[in-house]
Amino acid sequence: LGLQPLVSISDHDNIDAPMLLRLLPEGRCTPVSVEWTVPYRGVFFHLGVHNLPPRRATQCMSAMAAFTANPKEEDIEGMLSWLSEEPDTLVVFNHPHWDEKGVGQALHDSLAIEFQRRYAPFVHALELNGLRPWSENRRVADWAASAEKPVVSGGDRHCCEPNAILNLSN
């Protein structure tokens, strides 16, 4: 397509892969990204935190890991604000309608909507996930439109297969 590819590789609560790729000459521009697990009121959400500044990525990851291990709801806003200080960092609410914890779809969705509204200034986009059902992704797209947020692709492929959805952007 004549585009310069940018692939954001993220793993759950770990930045080792992108940091190691940056050591290789051909990987020096690899964005440092993570899928951060954020416990919230008896459930958890995954936030894709993309393009962390390499000079402070380890510090950011340590802070995110500390929060996940010992979550305090009053610290979420400060953490998201701090992570969003860099204008090139993108925070994505990954698969927001997936009730992974199994608390029931209605409760999960109400908490996801509350989380997004409360932290809207720091959550830049919602994810369309290539592994989630289209009915769920359709709800995400509708929600993003009503919240005036863009949707971006994701897929939880864990580098085992190509993603089902791609973003094209300038």
Side-chain angles (χ1 to χ4, degrees):
L1 298 173
L3 301 173
Q4 179 63 38
L6 176 68
V7 178
S8 186
I9 297 170
S10 62
D11 198 359
H12 293 275
D13 303 307
N14 185 307
I15 59 169
D16 291 349
M19 292 298 282
L20 288 171
L21 283 170
R22 292 181 63 81
L23 297 175
L24 302 171
E26 61 269 38
R28 68 180 174 271
C29 294
T30 301
V32 180
S33 303
V34 64
E35 185 170 31
W36 176 32
T37 303
V38 181
Y40 184 76
R41 298 187 181 186
V43 299
F44 60 85
F45 300 120
H46 285 139
L47 299 180
V49 184
H50 300 274
N51 207 29
L52 289 166
R55 68 187 181 285
R56 63 177 207 154
T58 302
Q59 178 189 17
C60 291
M61 187 65 253
S62 294
M64 286 183 276
F67 176 86
T68 300
N70 187 24
K72 294 183 180 115
E73 187 174 327
E74 62 270 14
D75 294 341
I76 295 173
E77 185 171 342
M79 282 287 300
L80 289 171
S81 175
W82 179 62
L83 291 169
S84 297
E85 282 177 0
E86 294 284 336
D88 292 335
T89 298
L90 175 70
V91 179
V92 179
F93 197 156
N94 289 352
H95 43 71
H97 286 302
W98 185 9
D99 177 19
E100 286 184 80
K101 189 95 171 183
V103 298
Q105 197 65 55
L107 175 58
H108 176 88
D109 286 353
S110 69
L111 290 170
I113 289 167
E114 176 185 309
F115 184 92
Q116 173 59 32
R117 284 187 184 140
R118 187 169 180 187
Y119 305 112
F122 313 109
V123 178
H124 309 118
L126 301 172
E127 178 201 49
L128 289 183
N129 187 301
L131 287 181
R132 302 301 306 149
W134 174 243
S135 59
E136 186 177 300
N137 279 326
R138 181 71 177 169
R139 292 176 57 220
V140 171
D142 292 344
W143 179 17
S146 69
E148 298 181 341
K149 298 283 184 182
V151 292
V152 298
S153 71
D156 289 305
R157 300 294 202 228
H158 299 279
C159 294
C160 295
E161 60 184 289
N163 200 352
I165 305 172
L166 296 177
N167 295 309
L168 294 177
S169 172
N170 60 2

